[in-house]
Amino acid sequence: MKLTPEILLRAYASGVFPMAEDRSDTTLYWIDPDSRGVLPLNGFHVSRRLARTIRQDIFRITIDKAFVQVIESCAAPARGRETTWINDEIITLYTGLAKVGHAHSVEAWNPEGDLVGGLYGVSLGGAFFGESMFSNESDASKVALAHLVARLRAGDFMLLDTQFVTDHLATFGAIEIPREAYHAQLAAAMRREADFYSLPEDCGGEGALQSIGHTS
């Protein structure tokens, strides 16, 4: 059966997501791990150093302006990561979701106008399913993530799914919860009406920090 954006959304609503073994693999596998990574929106941790970077607006942050560039950058090899799980079919599927408003990207641009970091994910009900991020300059993806959390909090989202917990995500407060607990949170989030665009795009770093609840 050929996957479509509609089938993909039904899968997310039921708690599963697709991955490929590597960039060149043409087969997708449905994943429903025993433990699921989530980043509690009320427990997002911002270090003082990162808060200073966010406040200085070193990077210009945009929303949904370069989705294809972001997902292709996430799929590209990087230092310490020779291959990724994002294959051509995933790029096509999620680009389709973006066209119908269910996938979003957060982009970080340097002063020269280069896209140097960002992330993308799927929005459904009151849940956001973070898929991948990339960074070509120090802190670019971290700032993009902070702006994402600010947007989700402002838009009344309930759940930020990170799929797995890496050491990097753990520094922001990401935790693992059992599959049963995740599915309970997901069911509640599916009943929530949330607005990804409730936070003005030009809120700046200070506005993002206020939305997160970071005051120091």
Side-chain angles (χ1 to χ4, degrees), residues 105-120:
S105 57
V106 180
E107 304 98 12
W109 310 81
N110 68 11
E112 289 72 39
D114 301 316
L115 179 66
V116 293
L119 57 86
Y120 78 97

Side-chain angles (χ1 to χ4, degrees), residues 58-75 78 81 104-121 132-148 168:
I58 294 172
F59 302 106
R60 180 172 65 91
I61 301 299
T62 57
I63 306 298
D64 294 343
K65 294 297 189 295
F67 184 90
V68 174
Q69 285 177 265
V70 168
I71 193 170
E72 288 181 345
S73 296
C74 289
R81 186 191 68 187
H104 301 285
S105 57
V106 180
E107 304 98 12
W109 310 81
N110 68 11
E112 289 72 39
D114 301 316
L115 179 66
V116 293
L119 57 86
Y120 78 97
S132 187
M133 63 176 64
F134 81 98
S135 187
N136 292 335
E137 288 189 10
S138 180
D139 291 337
S141 65
K142 295 178 182 179
V143 174
L145 178 60
H147 275 263
L148 171 67
H168 177 65

Side-chain angles (χ1 to χ4, degrees), residues 3-5 8-9 11-12 16-19 28-30 67-68 71 85-105 120-123 129-132 163:
L3 281 181
T4 65
L8 196 54
L9 288 177
Y12 273 98
V16 299
F17 59 90
M19 294 182 72
L28 294 182
Y29 302 91
W30 293 110
F67 184 90
V68 174
I71 193 170
W85 53 270
I86 302 170
N87 65 8
D88 289 343
E89 184 173 5
I90 284 178
I91 292 175
T92 298
L93 281 169
Y94 287 80
T95 300
L97 282 183
K99 290 178 180 178
V100 296
H102 280 291
H104 301 285
S105 57
Y120 78 97
V122 174
S123 175
F129 308 88
E131 290 297 313
S132 187
Q163 299 177 348

Side-chain angles (χ1 to χ4, degrees), residues 201-216:
E201 188 170 330
D202 60 356
C203 70
E206 188 62 47
L209 288 171
Q210 290 177 4
S211 180
I212 291 169
H214 186 87
T215 57
S216 61

Side-chain angles (χ1 to χ4, degrees), residues 43-52 54 142 146 149 171-173 209 212 214 216:
F44 184 69
H45 175 70
V46 179
S47 69
R48 289 185 177 180
R49 188 190 66 80
L50 180 58
R52 186 164 57 250
I54 295 169
K142 295 178 182 179
V149 172
T171 64
F172 296 101
L209 288 171
I212 291 169
H214 186 87
S216 61

